[in-house]
Structure formats: structure tokens, C-alpha cells
Amino acid sequence: MTSKAAPSTPVVRTGPAPAPADGLDPRRWKALWVCLLVGFMSFLDVSIVNVALPSIRTGLHTSEAGLSWVLSGYVLAFGLTLVPAGRLGDAYGRRTSFLAGLALFTAASVLCGLAADETWLIAARLGQGVAAGLLTPQISGLIQQLFRGTERGRAFGLLGSTIGIATAVGPVLGGLLIQALGTEHGWRWVFFVNLPIGLLAFPLARRLLPRGTRGPRTGLDPVGVVLLGGAVFALLLPLIEQQSWQGSAKWLLLGLGAALLAAFLGWERRYALAGRAPLVDLGTFRFGSYSLGALLGAVYFAGFTSIFFIFTLYLQSGLGYSALAAGLAITPFAVGTAASSVVAGRNVHRYGRRMITGGLVLVVLGLTGTWLAASLTSGQTVGWATALPLFVAGVGSGTVISPNSTLTLQDVPVAQAGTATGMLQTGQRVSSAAGIAIVSSVFFARVGDGWQAAFRAGILTSAAIVALALVIALADLLRRPAGRRQAG
């Protein structure tokens, strides 16, 4: 007589699914694509607005000072928010901070598009800057949290490629919108394009981003926030306002910024010795990979960021290019960056800082080739002549930025990833502003000799700053034992 098996009882699971054996979130790649979509939106907003500035001036009758603040207000708010936002994400959850930043960025973008005057637009741009500063550390922090080893390098490579694509698409898309909708209203859609992206990304982020590990809720070190914020403000303001703020009094703020930075470092040490959690764990800089990568990244950003500024000025003001044509002329650099970032991300743990050194060599060669092309051509042929050397420089840039981020953050504990990323990017923002100030000063000093002469002087200055980053990379390689030169 056969016995009949008892019917199986369905197992009802409560709570989250068990973690896989490797401890990695099985939805990490889907979560990454949400982060990349939002990163694309925030970086698109930077590059797309540059070509819209003449149309904003026409559409809103904006003053020169107001137009400057449309750009500089965003940079200031972004730079001031990065480190506190990273700390918020580390302590209270990166998913929560990410969603808050995404909602604010989308709303601020709509307000920018609806602006009735320059005051309204500047205030909305400040909101966008705060939101971007809230989002950016969470994206890098989530990559640190979700990925390990070679996967982390691939993820950072995809982030670098996304930034390159956004940088390439931005000027072209902005030029197309303005050309299609006119200078009066086309600039508004430069901001409105963020609305559908934000509406798509928010529910996906709620569903896919991990609720994650939260650090101890130890407070936000308000004194540290004020001191660091004051230092960043005092350092950035004279740099980004150097053309519109006449006189030499503005440079006194650099001394104030240095004093506030010293006070911040002293406060953070005392705060930590008292057994409390400082805004920035200064012990992070004891990691050689972090301190070297932060220095190299800061110098590199000072060199390459200014290229877009002076090239756009040369093409539009000096050669009469349209916004669309100028955007297309800059595209080869961004395309090279996007293409090489993915490859570099897959191979960063194999070649390490040797790859970054090779990338810096390519950037120097590409910028030197751009200088030569601009010296031998003029008029409408400049865009074509500079395409190949700019592409080479872009390929080099893609093998510098993402791999440097991967190796710089590799030894940082995941619990501090957001704050460490905030500090890293704050340094890059300040150095970018300093680089633009230096290169544009050289550029405008030579405008009297002609736009071509001004551009050649500016691009050589940019190349010299990148060459300094190359010297730092070479010195680091030479001091390492031969067997460890691929390490971070």
C-alpha cells in the first residue's frame, strides 16, 4: 500500500530576501543604471546651460552680472553642499538623500524654465546646485556600497562614460532646442528636459536603490559645516567672479578662505579627540591612495575644465560659430572620454596608476595638437582641424578621471564613502574654478592680439597644468617598487 505524500505547505517569506552568499545586492546593476540616469541628468544640465546663455540674456533681458550668477551660483551652491551631503548620506542613508536630491533637482529645473526674471532664475539655479551637491556623493557612495573589486572599476567606468556622453549631448541638444524653438523661449526647454527624466527616475530609485547600511547618527558637526562652507565660499567666489568683479579687493577672500580652512582642520582634530564624529575624518588622508588621488585629480581638473570655456568663447565670439556649431566642435573630446571610460573601468585594477599616467600623456599630446591645429587654421575650418586632437585628449581624459576615482576611493571604508567623495569633489570644484580663473586671465590678456592668439595662449596654459598632473603621476610611479606599480 502506497502512502500519499502530504501536500507541501507554501513558504511565506517576510521581510527582505536573504542576501546572496557573496554579500552583494543582486539588483546592484539595475540600481547602478538608475544612478547613471540621474547622473546623466545632472551633468547634462551643466553642459547644456553654457550654450543657452546668449538666449537667456535675450529672453530675460539679463544683465552681465546676472548671467554670470546663473553659472557661478550653481557652482557655489554645488561646492558648498558636497561634503555635508556626503555626511548626510553616510549617516542617514544614501537612498533617502538620493531621493531628496532628485526631487529637489527636478522641481528646481521646472522653476528655472518658468523663470520670469533674472532673480527668479538665479534663485532656482541655486536650488539646482544644492540638489546636485546632494546627489553627487550618493552616486559614488552607492557604487562603493554596491560593488567590489573589478566590478567597482567597471561601475565607475560606466559613470565616467555617462558623464562624457552628457557632456557631448548637452551642447548639441541645447543648440538644437534653441534653433528649433527660438532664442526667446528655446532656453526654457534646456531646463524642462529634466522633468521627464526626473519623473522616470524617481519611482525606479525608490524601488531599486538599497535601503542600505546607515552609519551611527552622530550629528552633523554644525561648527565644522559652517567653517568648511565659509572656506569653500571664500575660495570659490573670487575665482568664479574674477571677470565681473572688478578690482583687486576680491583676492583678499582667498586669504580668508585659507584661514577658515586652517580653522576647520584644527576644529576637526579637536572634535575627534573629544570622542565625537567630525564632519570629515582626517584619517582618510592617511591612505596614500586617497591623498595622492585627491591631489592628482585636483591638479588635473584645474587644467582640463578650462578647455571648454575658452574654446567656446573662441568659436562663438571670435569666429562667429552658432551655439549648435560650437557644441558640435566640442563633441570629439566628450566622445573620446565616453568611449575610453568604459574600457578604462574594466582594466583599472589590471594597470592601476600606469593607466592614469598614460592617459595624462594623451591629454598633453591632444592639447598640444589642438594648439597646433588652431595655429595653422582659421575661420570655419578650426572645428574640423581640432576634432582629432580633441578626441585624443578626450580618450586620455577618460583614462584619468574614472580610474583615478576608483583607485582614490579603494581603501576608504564604505561607511565613509559619501563624505570622502564629497571632499574629493569639493577639491575638484575649487581647483576647476582656479584653473578657469588662471587660463581665462591668460586668454583675455591676449584678446587684444586677436582671438586666435588668445586661444593659443589659453590652451598652452591648460596643457601646462595637465603636464603638472603628469609630473605628480610619474613621481608616484617612480617611488613605488616595480611589483606594486599597478596598485593604487
Side-chain angles (χ1 to χ4, degrees):
M1 183 174 177
T2 58
S3 60
K4 190 179 291 186
S8 59
T9 303
V11 177
V12 178
R13 296 190 182 277
T14 58
D22 60 7
L24 297 176
D25 190 324
R27 300 188 301 178
R28 60 191 180 278
W29 288 104
K30 293 180 181 179
L32 174 65
W33 287 111
V34 176
C35 292
L36 296 182
L37 176 63
V38 174
F40 175 85
M41 177 180 68
S42 61
F43 284 102
L44 176 75
D45 198 74
V46 175
S47 61
I48 200 173
V49 170
N50 284 323
V51 298
L53 291 177
S55 300
I56 291 173
R57 179 192 301 169
T58 301
L60 281 185
H61 308 289
T62 309
S63 65
E64 289 291 337
L67 208 62
S68 174
W69 270 95
V70 169
L71 288 180
S72 61
Y74 181 93
V75 174
L76 272 175
F78 184 81
L80 290 170
T81 309
L82 279 166
V83 176
R87 174 64 176 273
L88 275 173
D90 290 343
Y92 292 89
R94 298 185 182 104
R95 177 179 179 272
T96 301
S97 299
F98 184 97
L99 291 170
L102 176 56
L104 177 58
F105 192 91
T106 305
S109 297
V110 173
L111 289 174
C112 285
L114 295 174
D117 54 49
E118 69 175 52
T119 302
W120 178 336
L121 180 59
I122 291 168
R125 284 287 284 170
L126 288 171
Q128 272 193 316
V130 169
L134 185 56
L135 280 169
T136 301
Q138 316 316 327
I139 295 174
S140 294
L142 284 164
I143 290 176
Q144 287 283 97
Q145 176 181 331
L146 291 168
F147 298 95
R148 297 176 191 164
T150 56
E151 280 195 350
R152 186 180 289 173
R154 289 175 59 195
F156 273 116
L158 288 170
L159 177 61
S161 182
T162 300
I163 295 171
I165 292 170
T167 305
V169 169
V172 178
L173 178 59
L176 286 172
L177 287 171
I178 292 166
Q179 187 168 298
L181 301 173
T183 56
E184 183 71 22
H185 299 292
W187 65 269
R188 296 185 184 274
W189 287 93
V190 163
F191 299 105
F192 285 149
V193 294
N194 294 327
L195 179 59
I197 300 176
L199 292 176
L200 173 64
F202 192 88
L204 291 174
R206 285 195 65 190
R207 178 185 173 191
L208 295 172
L209 294 188
R211 294 188 181 275
T213 306
R214 295 189 296 192
R217 297 193 179 188
T218 52
L220 292 179
D221 182 12
V223 175
V225 170
V226 171
L227 288 173
L228 181 60
V232 172
F233 182 85
L235 291 171
L236 275 177
L237 186 62
L239 294 173
I240 62 182
E241 290 291 293
Q242 60 143 344
Q243 293 301 321
S244 56
W245 185 352
Q246 300 301 316
S248 58
K250 60 179 176 287
W251 301 118
L252 296 175
L253 284 176
L254 295 180
L256 174 62
L260 287 172
L261 186 59
F264 167 75
L265 294 174
W267 170 263
E268 294 297 278
R269 290 191 184 95
R270 289 179 56 195
Y271 204 70
L273 289 173
R276 307 179 72 179
L279 177 65
V280 175
D281 183 357
L282 299 180
T284 304
F285 289 95
R286 297 193 191 102
F287 296 118
S289 56
Y290 186 81
S291 55
L292 170 76
L295 174 63
L296 191 150
V299 176
Y300 178 67
F301 269 76
F304 99 97
T305 310
S306 54
I307 299 166
F308 308 105
F309 177 72
I310 61 172
F311 196 43
T312 301
L313 275 176
Y314 176 42
L315 294 176
Q316 291 188 267
S317 300
L319 300 179
Y321 277 46
S322 66
L324 177 59
L328 288 170
I330 297 169
T331 298
F333 186 101
V335 170
T337 301
S340 63
S341 293
V342 176
V343 178
R346 291 177 179 273
N347 293 280
V348 60
H349 287 286
R350 181 178 180 184
Y351 297 106
R353 293 205 173 271
R354 290 179 297 170
M355 174 187 291
I356 296 172
T357 304
L360 288 167
V361 171
L362 286 179
V363 177
V364 172
L365 290 175
L367 295 184
T368 304
T370 303
W371 170 83
L372 182 62
S375 302
L376 299 176
T377 59
S378 60
Q380 298 301 307
T381 60
V382 169
W384 292 105
T386 56
L388 180 58
L390 281 176
F391 178 78
V392 171
V395 169
S397 190
T399 55
V400 173
I401 297 175
S402 294
N404 190 58
S405 295
T406 303
L407 297 177
T408 300
L409 296 170
Q410 69 178 356
D411 295 323
V412 176
V414 171
Q416 300 170 13
T419 308
T421 299
M423 282 298 296
L424 184 66
Q425 298 215 9
T426 298
Q428 291 171 359
R429 296 289 80 74
V430 173
S431 60
S432 293
I436 291 173
I438 294 168
V439 173
S440 62
S441 293
V442 173
F443 179 88
F444 286 115
R446 294 294 305 274
V447 164
D449 299 328
W451 287 98
Q452 184 188 56
F455 177 68
R456 290 170 58 197
I459 204 74
L460 276 183
T461 306
S462 293
I465 298 173
V466 175
L468 177 59
L470 175 59
V471 170
I472 295 171
L474 287 170
D476 176 65
L477 279 183
L478 291 174
R479 74 175 178 83
R480 291 172 182 268
R484 293 183 59 245
R485 286 180 183 173
Q486 74 276 14

